[in-house]
Amino acid sequence: MTAPLLSLSGVHVRFDTSAGLVRAVNGVSLDLAVGETLGLVGESGCGKSTLGKAILRLVPIAEGEIRIEGVDIAPLEKKQLTEMRRKVQMIFQDPYGSLNPRSTVGRSIAQPLVLAGWKDDAITDRVDTLLRWVGLPGDARQRYPHEFSGGQRQRIGIARALALSPRLIICDEPVSALDVSVRAQVINLLEDLKAEFGVSYLFISHDLSVVEHIADRVAVMYLGTIVESGERDQIWRNPQHPYTKALLAAAPIADPKAARARQRTVLQGELPSPLDPPAGCPFHSRCPLAQERCTAERPVLRPMGNGTLAACHFI
């Protein structure tokens, strides 16, 4: 078997705040293969974006290992970290806030190339090529972000992420701020770039319809932990974990008849705070299957009959 491009083992991320210790990511383990798109889904506040930033060491890791092409990134010094970030780039959620309004589009896209020591002529040629790849006109190089629509700005962000030909791109809610029609264009662009250049994606989103379209595999996150993972089609057809079932049942579908006929898993209570996560299974306070064991013993991901992994004592 080919070694994974990205491998996470027991990753924890914690933040000291005035209110106490926030356990944002709590023991996440997962792999992402070369050329694969892994969708990371869950409610807002479950730790998805924090995990994405931890992979780039934009936030510190408290425990665990993050390996990129087999190399643990935690002990890397500044120079080694710069080399690693050539392989891993990020597309941010907000196409308005992720670009410097005082820099031209060309300068923003060129920034990674400048930091990597490219020569001026090579930078100009590369920027023109990147603009062409993402479907923007050549004169975009001299213009400023405010002159572009939201979808065009996200294309600029994609061009910047592609500048150094990374192996992995972390897509942090890349279409959530865009209109529905523009979302489809950006998703199609990401798929085209993956097919052409073999780039892998960690696609973070709370929009299940988008993840269903783009992901090869899916990992479901709840309160900083992975509760289910597996092939996209298997999870969509036959979800195992009660939380996954509730997420899929709550997702809107276009067919009213099918919407009325589907089974719903109604969750009780509110999402617990990462300041004070429940003991045992993190989902037990809202789970319809919860028993006494769930309050004391945290379940581990284990194989299910359909080929997925799920963390539950009673499925």
Side-chain angles (χ1 to χ4, degrees):
M1 292 180 64
T2 304
L5 174 61
L6 171 70
S7 182
L8 279 60
S9 178
V11 174
H12 292 254
V13 178
R14 306 184 186 110
F15 300 107
D16 279 312
T17 70
S18 57
L21 186 67
V22 175
R23 296 168 176 84
V25 177
N26 195 13
V28 167
S29 298
L30 56 82
D31 291 338
L32 189 154
V34 174
E36 180 180 56
T37 298
L38 175 64
L40 184 61
V41 303
E43 293 171 276
S44 296
C46 72
K48 305 185 301 296
S49 293
T50 300
L51 182 63
K53 291 172 183 174
I55 293 168
L56 277 165
R57 269 188 52 184
L58 298 177
V59 297
I61 307 158
E63 294 179 44
E65 285 188 349
I66 298 176
R67 293 184 175 273
I68 296 169
E69 294 186 326
V71 177
D72 184 6
I73 70 168
L76 297 185
E77 300 295 336
K78 184 176 180 180
K79 183 177 180 181
Q80 297 169 310
L81 195 59
T82 299
E83 289 295 322
M84 181 275 292
R85 286 176 175 158
R86 295 183 184 185
K87 300 177 183 179
V88 186
Q89 290 290 307
M90 195 165 196
I91 301 169
F92 294 93
Q93 176 178 358
D94 181 8
Y96 302 92
S98 62
L99 298 171
N100 185 343
R102 294 186 177 88
S103 290
T104 62
V105 165
R107 197 176 304 139
S108 290
I109 296 174
Q111 187 177 23
L113 302 168
V114 172
L115 294 175
W118 284 45
K119 301 247 171 119
D120 288 347
D121 289 346
I123 289 174
T124 299
D125 291 343
R126 180 65 170 172
V127 169
D128 288 343
T129 299
L130 290 163
L131 288 170
R132 186 173 68 253
W133 282 350
V134 299
L136 291 174
D139 67 352
R141 186 152 46 86
Q142 288 82 34
R143 296 160 63 188
Y144 288 85
H146 73 268
E147 300 178 59
F148 296 88
S149 67
Q152 289 173 320
R153 291 185 207 190
Q154 199 58 291
R155 288 172 182 265
I156 295 166
I158 294 169
R160 181 174 59 186
L162 285 169
L164 293 172
S165 300
R167 303 289 309 281
L168 169 64
I169 296 180
I170 299 168
C171 306
D172 185 13
E173 301 273 10
V175 297
S176 63
L178 306 178
D179 293 338
V180 174
S181 60
V182 179
R183 288 183 191 185
Q185 296 172 16
V186 172
I187 291 299
N188 289 337
L189 171 62
L190 290 172
E191 289 192 309
D192 290 345
L193 294 170
K194 176 185 173 182
E196 185 165 356
F197 301 111
V199 65
S200 302
Y201 296 129
L202 176 62
F203 194 93
I204 299 168
S205 181
H206 65 271
D207 188 331
L208 295 179
S209 63
V210 172
V211 172
E212 183 181 16
H213 182 77
I214 196 171
D216 302 306
R217 289 192 307 118
V218 176
V220 182
M221 198 167 186
Y222 180 83
L223 203 64
T225 68
I226 302 298
V227 298
E228 186 166 0
S229 67
E231 298 294 328
R232 174 202 60 198
D233 292 344
Q234 286 290 351
I235 287 182
W236 250 254
R237 284 199 304 264
N238 189 20
Q240 298 294 299
H241 197 279
Y243 179 63
T244 308
K245 292 179 180 180
L247 276 185
L248 292 172
I253 56 178
D255 184 348
K257 186 176 180 180
R260 288 192 298 269
R262 68 180 173 178
Q263 287 187 325
R264 289 187 176 272
T265 301
V266 180
L267 299 182
Q268 305 297 319
E270 298 294 328
L271 182 70
S273 168
L275 284 165
D276 187 25
C281 175
F283 188 57
H284 81 255
S285 61
R286 304 173 73 192
C287 181
L289 304 180
Q291 300 181 32
E292 185 176 352
R293 179 184 179 187
C294 305
T295 65
E297 183 183 344
R298 179 176 172 177
V300 297
L301 284 169
R302 58 187 178 86
M304 299 288 106
N306 68 342
T308 65
L309 300 174
C312 181
H313 296 306
F314 299 110
I315 55 174

